Amino acid sequence: MSEFDFGARSAKEFRHRNFWTLFEDRHPAERSRRVRHGPWFWQRGLPDFNLVITMYVAPEQSVVGVFFGRNERLGAVDAKRRLQPFRAAIESRLKLKPEQSGQDFGVNAIWRVNCFADDNWPAMADWLVTEAGRFEQAVTEVLASEI
């Protein structure tokens, strides 16, 4: 059993509506920046760069995370490939530890936390918004000179 094994639970047991309501209540400014959301994710748009920052909850994996996602309506497609030339510069600004980043999403950050524990939700919501802000700042600093 790993240190992050909080007991087998199904994602359908996660009360995602309650979590995103708490998220929105704690961070009302995110509402106006939201371009798409679903049960497991919330996207903040960066229209100047044709990018979206996706904040997500993966309760079965005991993870919340942030990455540059996909949103065709905004032209935010193939972000991983488009950002590849700038990945090192963006990651150097983010200063993520290896255990905070996974390889599947390109530039991303994860936090291992028991998503089913309601008392973790305020910290999870705050972490998502803080990381999304750091991602936005990093990509803005790197790409501003490219526009």
Side-chain angles (χ1 to χ4, degrees):
M1 183 147 99
S2 81
E3 66 179 294
F4 297 110
D5 183 2
F6 300 111
R9 302 220 23 205
S10 166
K12 67 182 176 186
E13 294 176 66
F14 183 70
R15 297 175 305 126
H16 58 85
R17 283 189 181 100
N18 296 40
F19 173 75
W20 293 116
T21 297
L22 176 135
F23 175 90
E24 204 170 347
D25 288 348
R26 288 182 73 82
H27 300 284
E30 288 298 320
R31 186 176 308 127
S32 65
R33 305 205 56 206
R34 179 182 67 204
V35 294
R36 189 168 175 220
H37 77 288
W40 313 111
F41 70 93
W42 181 290
Q43 288 185 330
R44 175 194 289 186
L46 302 178
D48 292 345
F49 303 113
N50 291 334
L51 291 170
V52 292
I53 297 172
T54 300
M55 298 171 262
Y56 71 92
V57 178
E60 285 184 337
Q61 290 80 35
S62 300
V63 167
V64 293
V66 175
F67 67 98
F68 292 103
R70 176 180 182 85
N71 185 310
E72 290 180 14
R73 186 172 48 93
L74 291 182
V77 295
D78 208 12
K80 186 175 177 181
R81 182 191 58 77
R82 288 179 31 230
L83 292 175
Q84 187 59 38
F86 311 102
R87 183 174 181 165
I90 293 168
E91 287 179 338
S92 90
R93 282 169 172 76
L94 292 172
K95 295 179 173 70
L96 296 171
K97 298 173 186 161
E99 64 272 12
Q100 291 176 286
S101 186
Q103 299 306 308
D104 296 340
F105 299 112
V107 178
N108 71 96
I110 61 171
W111 177 30
R112 297 197 182 283
V113 61
N114 181 354
C115 300
F116 291 102
D118 298 12
D119 57 342
N120 286 342
W121 290 3
M124 289 164 48
D126 295 350
W127 184 89
L128 287 168
V129 170
T130 298
E131 285 304 296
R134 287 175 10 89
F135 271 55
E136 183 173 358
Q137 181 177 351
V139 79
T140 298
E141 289 172 359
V142 171
L143 296 183
S145 63
E146 300 295 320
I147 297 180

